Each structure stands twice: as structure tokens, then as C-alpha cells.
Amino acid sequence: MSNNPIVLIPARLASTRLPNKPLADIGGKPMIVQCIERALEADLGPVAVAAGDPEIYDAVQAAGYTAILTDPAHPSGSDRIYEAVCRLDPDGQHDVIINVQGDLPTLDPVSIRAAMAPIQQSEGVDIATIAAVIDREEERSNPNVVKVIAGFPEVSDLDFTIARALSFTRAMAPWGDGPLYHHIGLYAFRRPALARFVGLPPGILEQRERLEQLRALEAGMRIDVALVRTVPLGVDTSDDLERARAILMKNNLNP
């Protein structure tokens, strides 16, 4: 099974909790550049930024990387990367689009590769994503921690344990004994699936839960999930930013 992925990072400046977040300095580089470098370390294919603002485009270009300036009115990152891939690759050479968030500067490249695993494993998968076991009790009932409902096998001979996503929710689910799984918003789309997804109207459950991926499930699309070991640090506040700086400084001192 042959795949030719491209990694796209949607980014825009409109953050209320941390203004100009993609341009925040981490280790002498804008955060968006750190995210590009993590994606390149995954060694899956070319990496580009789908920029919603000229300032982001300029910062990426200045660092020597690729950016596409996209419509600032896009309602989601999925719409932004779809515009970008259509312009970067109009002939459709890249058949898988990996959407990496632009606020994960400490993301383990292994997690990016994990998002490709379900697509490489099965031709029936439209969209792939990742999750990790919730190990903090307070996160089990936290609605900001999105859960994926999936029946992960206890034993797998694959590099990554993979299961089909049955649903996503902000509630504490599934019920009963056993782990809960924290969904991590990193996706790999087959190209036709991305084109279909951005053309769909918002789903009923999507609007209720405020979870975009439910639109795909409501439309009968298949999402498979690879289980990874840790949840990456998302930078949403100034405290998160300081943590990211400390993590990358430590990593640079201890390669």
C-alpha cells in the first residue's frame, strides 16, 4: 500500500488567551517554526504552514520553510489545510494530508508517525488520529479533555495499537471498568476524505459537543485511532509557553 503524505500546519493569530501565539519565541525561534521542525523530524514528507495571517507567512518564509497564505475567514483548520493543499499540490500527488496543530512545539515526532499507521494498515480508513490513556483522575470528568470511544485490544503485533473510533465526547465515557482515552487533535486524511469532509454541513452531534470530528462519523466516514504513550503539551497560556520553553531547553541540553 503506497502513500505519499504531506504535513500541513494550520496557524492563525486570533488567540484570546495568548495573543500572537504562533509567533511567540521559544528557544530563539517562533513557535510555528518549532512545530515545523518537529514535523520534519517525523520524516513522512514535505511540511508546509497554512497561514491565516501575513505575519505568520513572513515568519515561516524568513526561517527558510514553506507557507501558503490562506483565506483568514476559514472556520476551521481543516478548511485551511484543504485550501493550502489544493494550491500547493493541484495535481494531487499527495494522497494523504496530515494536519498537525500549530501550538504543539514539543510534539514527539513518533506521534505524527502514529497518525499515519491506521491509513497504512487499512484501505478502509478515511481519517486517522491518535489518543493516549488518561492517567490523571481529574481529567476523566473534565469536559475540556475530549475522549474517544474505541475498543483498543490489549495485545497488538502492530507498531501502534489501533482501533476504530465509535464516537468522541466531552463526557466521561465509556462507562464501566477500564481506561478512558484522551483524544489528541492530530489527523491524517486521505485526500478524497478531506475534500468530502470540508464540503459537509456541520453535524447535529458536532454542534452539540463542539467536536468537528463528529461530522465525519455522522456522515458515515471511518476514523481509526492509534494509541500513543503521552499527550503533547498544547500551548494556550503564558504558563504553557514557559513549560514549552523549559522542555525544549532541556531537550537541547540532553539530545
Side-chain angles (χ1 to χ4, degrees), residues 8-24:
L8 294 177
I9 306 173
R12 60 193 184 103
L13 294 179
S15 172
T16 55
R17 289 191 286 178
L18 190 61
N20 297 326
K21 180 168 68 171
L23 305 180

Side-chain angles (χ1 to χ4, degrees), residues 61-248:
Q61 292 283 101
Y65 298 116
T66 302
I68 292 290
L69 189 60
T70 57
D71 186 347
H74 281 310
S76 72
S78 302
D79 297 281
R80 196 171 304 286
I81 64 167
Y82 183 63
E83 178 190 346
V85 76
C86 288
R87 292 172 56 193
L88 278 167
D89 181 36
D91 297 329
Q93 297 300 309
H94 294 290
D95 59 348
V96 177
I97 297 92
I98 302 174
N99 181 351
V100 174
Q101 294 180 30
D103 59 0
L104 301 175
T106 66
L107 179 64
D108 186 343
V110 171
S111 294
I112 304 175
R113 292 195 291 271
M116 269 297 294
I119 282 179
Q120 292 169 327
Q121 179 66 20
S122 173
E123 292 185 358
V125 177
D126 297 302
I127 304 168
T129 188
I130 59 175
V133 172
I134 296 174
D135 56 13
R136 297 173 61 181
E137 185 62 33
E138 64 272 19
E139 292 185 349
R140 293 171 65 88
S141 58
N142 184 342
N144 294 316
V145 176
V146 177
K147 292 82 179 176
V148 57
I149 299 175
F152 287 103
E154 292 186 7
V155 178
S156 172
D157 58 0
L158 304 174
D159 291 337
F160 300 100
T161 301
I162 296 170
R164 186 166 182 170
L166 302 179
S167 193
F168 298 84
T169 182
R170 295 181 183 276
M172 192 168 71
W175 182 84
D177 294 335
L180 302 185
Y181 302 103
H182 184 158
H183 176 237
I184 301 163
L186 189 158
Y187 298 94
F189 292 87
R190 292 194 192 276
R191 190 155 180 164
L194 178 60
R196 182 186 174 199
F197 178 75
V198 299
L200 291 170
I204 295 171
L205 290 177
E206 172 191 3
Q207 295 177 81
R208 181 170 176 173
E209 289 258 21
R210 292 181 291 111
L211 296 175
E212 184 184 39
Q213 60 272 36
L214 288 172
R215 183 191 318 173
L217 292 182
E218 287 186 80
M221 300 174 78
R222 175 175 168 180
I223 303 177
D224 276 20
V225 189
L227 199 61
V228 299
R229 292 183 181 277
T230 58
V231 177
L233 170 64
V235 176
D236 292 314
T237 66
S238 57
D239 287 344
D240 294 336
L241 181 58
E242 290 306 317
R243 288 177 62 199
R245 287 169 173 159
I247 290 169
L248 286 178

